[in-house]
């Protein structure tokens, strides 16, 4: 089997949580890595521990920053072969209390960010007739959850984009897939627990128990489990898998 050693992978949000686990997993396979995010200090701390890794400060919602960031990535490590659209954020608020600003923020980071970064890489992937695009969506892209309607709408949008783009790139050696984590033990889930705790009379332990009830295995998914799935989809031998939304959620959706 060919290896991924010669490949250049860009991971948005690669400095923390799921993105950091993906960074570690792909670094172990010898890929050249660029991680992107807004907090350059954290990204630089992360790349210190990894050979052939490079950090670029990019807000994925800003097209100019994305174009400049990808130009730096290409100048440093060559054409982008694999794009992991992982950057994301979740605001929790009942729909009737949600303002347009929250709605736009959720679409900007979770959906437009995927558009911006994919536009930046796709022409060169088409040219070289090889590419992998993996969008870290969510089970919230496959089902509804109360109080996160904008996040759900954005993640459903990511899965729609994944399916359509898979068809448009099917003859170009490119696969486009979504990975859909259930509740995963990261800062994002910690923030969700804190937010519910602040707004209700539940203790943090009770909130945690409620979130765990979503997963039939009654546990939080670990970031490394998402990273394993991403690695599987990156491989040459996974070339027939495209346009899929793969839940990693202990059986929460099926
Ligand atoms: P996390 O640790 O908070 O990571 C989110 C990452 O996204 C951070 O590294 C952050 O970096 C980056 N980011 C956020 N806004 C950005 C922006 N505008 N531009 C560039 N980077 C941005 O949370 P996580 O759980 O690992 O989340 C990773 C992905 O998994 C997200 O797409 C999330 O929706 C998805 N997901 C998570 C769960 C879960 O339960 N944790 C479940 C399903 C799906 P900076 O702050 O440096 O910008």
């Amino acid at each position: 089997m060919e290896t991924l050693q010669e490949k250049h992978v860009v991971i948005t949000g690669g400095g923390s949580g799921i993105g950091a686990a993906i960074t570690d997993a792909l670094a172990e396979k010898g890929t050249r890595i660029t991680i992107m995010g807004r907090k350059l200090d954290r990204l630089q701390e992360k790349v210190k521990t990894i050979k052939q890794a490079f950090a670029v400060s990019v807000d994925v919602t800003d097209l100019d920053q994305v174009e400049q960031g990808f130009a730096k990535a290409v100048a440093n490590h060559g054409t982008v072969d694999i794009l992991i659209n992982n950057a994301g954020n979740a605001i929790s608020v009942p729909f009737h209390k949600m303002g347009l600003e929250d709605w736009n923020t959720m679409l900007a980071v979770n959906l437009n960010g995927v558009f911006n970064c994919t536009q930046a890489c796709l022409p060169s992937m088409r040219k070289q007739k090889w590419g992998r695009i993996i969008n870290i969506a969510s089970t919230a892209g496959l089902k509804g959850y109360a109080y996160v309607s904008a996040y759900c709408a954005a993640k459903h949008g990511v899965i729609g984009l994944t399916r359509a783009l898979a068809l448009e790139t099917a003859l170009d050696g490119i696969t486009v897939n979504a990975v859909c984590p259930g509740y995963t033990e990261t800062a994002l889930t910690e923030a969700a627990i804190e937010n519910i705790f602040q707004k209700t009379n539940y203790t943090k332990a009770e909130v945690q128990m409620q979130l765990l009830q979503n997963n039939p295995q009654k546990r939080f998914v670990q970031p490394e489990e998402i990273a394993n799935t991403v690695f599987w989809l990156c491989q040459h031998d996974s070339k027939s898998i495209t346009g899929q939304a793969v839940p990693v959620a202990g059986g929460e959706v099926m």
Side-chain angles (χ1 to χ4, degrees), residues 224-237:
E224 294 71 25
E225 299 177 75
I226 312 301
N228 279 336
T229 307
V230 168
F231 170 58
W232 167 63
L233 290 168
C234 288
Q235 292 176 67
H236 294 270
D237 287 350

Side-chain angles (χ1 to χ4, degrees), residues 13 15-19 37-39 42 58-61 86-89 109-110 136-138 151 155 181-184 186-189:
S16 69
I18 291 170
R38 293 163 305 175
K39 297 188 184 106
R42 184 166 66 181
V58 171
D59 181 335
V60 296
T61 67
N86 166 76
N89 197 4
V109 61
N110 294 301
I136 306 304
S138 171
Y151 180 74
K155 293 295 191 180
Y183 281 107
T184 304
T186 70
L188 190 142
T189 296

Side-chain angles (χ1 to χ4, degrees), residues 127-244:
K127 209 166 172 189
Q128 67 181 12
K129 293 274 173 203
W130 199 94
R132 296 282 182 269
I133 298 171
I134 299 171
N135 299 324
I136 306 304
S138 171
T139 46
L142 295 167
K143 61 180 260 194
Y145 293 85
Y147 311 126
V148 284
S149 54
Y151 180 74
C152 280
K155 293 295 191 180
H156 274 71
V158 168
I159 291 174
L161 168 63
T162 301
R163 290 173 175 153
L165 191 57
L167 294 176
E168 290 188 27
T169 56
L171 296 177
D172 294 324
I174 298 168
T175 67
V176 187
N177 289 289
V179 173
C180 300
Y183 281 107
T184 304
E185 200 167 343
T186 70
L188 190 142
T189 296
E190 266 174 46
I193 292 171
E194 180 67 31
N195 181 52
I196 300 169
F197 166 71
Q198 294 291 344
K199 290 181 179 166
T200 65
N201 293 323
Y202 296 116
T203 65
K204 282 192 189 176
E206 286 167 339
V207 175
Q208 182 166 326
M209 280 308 294
Q210 284 173 14
L211 298 189
L212 286 174
Q213 293 313 309
N214 288 290
N215 182 328
Q217 295 180 342
K218 304 288 178 255
R219 64 184 190 86
F220 288 130
V221 177
Q222 295 303 303
E224 294 71 25
E225 299 177 75
I226 312 301
N228 279 336
T229 307
V230 168
F231 170 58
W232 167 63
L233 290 168
C234 288
Q235 292 176 67
H236 294 270
D237 287 350
S238 298
K239 59 179 174 286
S240 293
I241 305 165
T242 193
Q244 302 305 305

Side-chain angles (χ1 to χ4, degrees), residues 1-168:
M1 188 175 65
E2 289 174 85
T3 69
L4 295 177
Q5 218 150 15
E6 295 310 310
K7 303 299 184 194
H8 174 199
V9 52
V10 170
I11 304 159
T12 67
S16 69
I18 291 170
I22 296 170
T23 301
D24 290 338
L26 294 181
E28 207 178 285
K29 308 298 174 194
T31 56
R32 284 168 285 138
I33 290 182
T34 305
I35 56 175
M36 295 180 177
R38 293 163 305 175
K39 297 188 184 106
L40 188 59
D41 287 359
R42 184 166 66 181
L43 296 172
Q44 282 172 337
E45 204 50 45
K46 180 74 195 157
V47 298
K48 266 189 201 162
T49 60
I50 297 168
K51 253 207 280 179
Q52 299 201 327
F54 178 60
V56 190
S57 168
V58 171
D59 181 335
V60 296
T61 67
D62 181 322
L63 190 53
D64 286 345
Q65 285 193 32
V66 169
E67 284 171 354
Q68 285 164 24
F70 275 84
K72 280 185 197 162
V74 170
N76 205 58
H77 272 335
T79 302
V80 178
D81 303 293
I82 301 173
L83 170 65
I84 315 293
N85 281 310
N86 166 76
N89 197 4
I91 294 172
S92 172
V93 57
F95 183 77
H96 68 277
K97 290 187 181 168
M98 188 190 302
L100 187 59
E101 196 179 327
D102 283 345
W103 173 262
N104 285 337
T105 300
M106 283 295 89
L107 292 189
V109 61
N110 294 301
L111 184 55
N112 296 356
V114 175
F115 170 85
N116 290 340
C117 296
T118 304
Q119 286 280 358
C121 300
L122 197 58
S124 56
M125 287 183 184
R126 274 193 198 281
K127 209 166 172 189
Q128 67 181 12
K129 293 274 173 203
W130 199 94
R132 296 282 182 269
I133 298 171
I134 299 171
N135 299 324
I136 306 304
S138 171
T139 46
L142 295 167
K143 61 180 260 194
Y145 293 85
Y147 311 126
V148 284
S149 54
Y151 180 74
C152 280
K155 293 295 191 180
H156 274 71
V158 168
I159 291 174
L161 168 63
T162 301
R163 290 173 175 153
L165 191 57
L167 294 176
E168 290 188 27

